[in-house]
Amino acid sequence: MKYSGVGGQAVMEGVMMKNEDRYAVAVRKPDHTIDVKVSTFKETIKNKKLRRLPFIRGVINFIESLILGMQTLMYSASFFEDDEDEKKKKEAMTQEERKAQEEKEKKQEKAMMGGTVAFSVVFALGLFFFLPYFLSGIFHKVIASDTVIALLEGLIRLAIFIGYIALISLTPDIKRVFMYHGAEHKCINCIEHGMELNVENVRKSSRQHKRCGTSFLLIVMLISIVFFLFIRVDSRILQLVLRLLLIPVIAGVSYEFIRLAGRYDNWLVNILSKPGLWMQKMTTKEPDDEMIEVGIASVEAVFDWRKWQKEENV
């Protein structure tokens, strides 16, 4: 299996696929047709040398993935937000009024996206980093070893992460997102295993992939245990500050591992990738054929898979 260079994510009733600086969002609309939008992603940092630096590129990639994820999620959601009354009002508007309304909506969307990203970051830090730290601190009364406390904190963090995924997977909307997530992985696996990209071949492809964002987040959790073992300061406030400062470093290291796992296929990499692949059994579900069609439409909008397979002799 060779690395195709294409990657993506699931959105509301759709799939986003990214190839270099171009990305496509394919959405199954309420009328069951597929809408495909191709765009160019504007990099947050233009310096090419900085973007190629190991570990630094992981932090940049993580931030940009978060931004792109929010943009595509809000775009896909827009197909299901307007009710019939709103649609009729827009149809009744003049061209100038419609343009002004669209500008207003764009500004509101940017403000909403900024607020959502900020809230998501704070929520994730609180739930997956601060909460485990404070919960593990309860055991200081009965456990004297800082090493054991740090390990306990890591185990609590893993339990909260797995429990959170398990909980949200019970909701119908998230179940469908996880099905589209499965379609995304199946499409990429189909291409990288040298098969023609069609519904039948995608259906029999694996829904697990070593470059998945789920694997990245799990690796972050595991690597954080190792990093936090070496924080040896008495001040609890300083301990929290150091944890915050180490998060970009942990993200950078985790990215390098995921990148390595995506490019190489040997027994060591496969063993180290197992936890992430197991986790994907929760975050991906088997898609139906309509979802697979959406995934295929998204891939073909930004990636010439036939040319790639021919050049790589896959």
Side-chain angles (χ1 to χ4, degrees):
M1 181 173 67
K2 295 185 179 181
Y3 172 47
S4 63
V6 66
Q9 70 173 53
V11 294
M12 185 177 291
E13 294 299 324
V15 174
M16 183 277 290
M17 288 289 183
K18 187 173 184 290
N19 182 29
E20 296 180 349
D21 62 342
R22 295 175 68 241
Y23 68 94
V25 187
V27 180
R28 178 73 70 177
K29 297 195 296 184
D31 62 3
H32 293 283
T33 59
I34 299 175
D35 178 90
V36 181
K37 179 185 178 183
V38 179
S39 306
T40 300
F41 182 72
K42 295 179 181 179
E43 298 172 339
T44 54
I45 296 176
K46 305 293 184 182
N47 191 305
K48 297 296 182 184
K49 290 183 179 179
L50 188 63
R51 296 185 66 87
R52 293 193 191 101
L53 283 176
F55 306 111
I56 299 295
R57 62 190 173 192
V59 179
I60 296 171
N61 185 271
F62 175 71
I63 294 170
E64 291 184 343
S65 295
L66 187 61
I67 294 170
L68 181 58
M70 289 306 306
Q71 288 176 345
T72 55
L73 186 61
M74 293 184 75
Y75 174 75
S76 65
S78 67
F79 289 96
F80 307 92
E81 289 176 350
D82 288 345
D83 56 26
E84 289 300 319
D85 290 337
E86 285 294 321
K87 288 178 181 178
K88 287 178 181 179
K89 284 180 183 179
K90 286 183 178 181
E91 289 173 1
M93 289 179 180
T94 63
Q95 187 174 353
E96 290 76 13
E97 288 174 335
R98 195 177 294 117
K99 188 176 180 180
Q101 180 67 18
E102 286 174 357
E103 288 295 325
K104 182 182 177 181
E105 287 177 355
K106 282 181 181 179
K107 289 179 181 179
Q108 290 175 341
E109 185 178 302
K110 285 182 179 179
M112 189 184 298
M113 188 178 72
T116 304
V117 169
F119 173 79
S120 300
V121 170
V122 172
F123 176 78
L125 289 174
L127 184 62
F128 301 123
F129 283 90
F130 294 156
L131 182 59
Y133 173 76
F134 287 114
L135 289 178
S136 65
I138 297 172
F139 294 90
H140 268 298
K141 295 178 181 179
V142 292
I143 300 174
S145 172
D146 288 337
T147 300
V148 174
I149 292 294
L151 287 171
L152 186 60
E153 178 190 344
L155 291 174
I156 292 172
R157 183 176 298 109
L158 276 174
I160 290 174
F161 177 64
I162 294 171
Y164 175 77
I165 296 296
L167 187 63
I168 65 171
S169 67
L170 298 176
T171 63
D173 286 344
I174 297 299
K175 278 184 181 178
R176 289 192 63 81
V177 170
F178 284 174
M179 289 171 75
Y180 277 104
H181 191 193
E184 173 219 328
H185 283 193
K186 280 174 168 285
C187 286
I188 296 174
N189 277 322
C190 178
I191 294 167
E192 294 183 342
H193 284 86
M195 294 186 289
E196 183 178 348
L197 189 63
N198 57 45
V199 173
E200 183 179 352
N201 287 337
V202 171
R203 194 189 304 118
K204 62 187 179 184
S205 296
S206 173
R207 71 173 198 261
Q208 297 172 322
H209 199 286
K210 289 188 289 187
R211 293 198 313 273
C212 176
T214 302
S215 295
F216 171 79
L217 291 175
L218 185 61
I219 294 298
V220 166
M221 301 294 166
L222 294 172
I223 290 178
S224 69
I225 296 175
V226 178
F227 272 74
F228 295 164
L229 279 174
F230 297 97
I231 295 179
R232 290 289 187 269
V233 291
D234 294 329
S235 170
R236 288 179 67 81
I237 293 176
L238 190 55
Q239 286 177 356
L240 282 173
V241 171
L242 288 173
R243 276 164 169 74
L244 276 174
L245 294 176
L246 281 173
I247 288 173
V249 180
I250 294 168
V253 173
S254 301
Y255 174 81
E256 294 303 319
F257 173 79
I258 294 297
R259 194 170 183 269
L260 181 74
R263 292 178 179 274
Y264 297 97
D265 193 10
N266 57 58
W267 66 271
L268 179 60
V269 169
N270 289 338
I271 289 173
L272 294 173
S273 299
K274 283 293 182 184
L277 296 177
W278 289 333
M279 194 72 193
Q280 287 174 44
K281 290 182 179 180
M282 294 175 64
T283 62
T284 63
K285 303 296 180 185
E286 285 297 327
D288 59 32
D289 287 357
E290 282 198 344
M291 293 174 175
I292 290 172
E293 289 170 356
V294 171
I296 291 172
S298 183
V299 172
E300 293 188 328
V302 291
F303 185 61
D304 189 346
W305 58 271
R306 292 182 179 86
K307 180 180 177 183
W308 178 83
Q309 287 182 344
K310 187 176 180 181
E311 290 175 349
E312 296 293 333
N313 296 315
V314 178

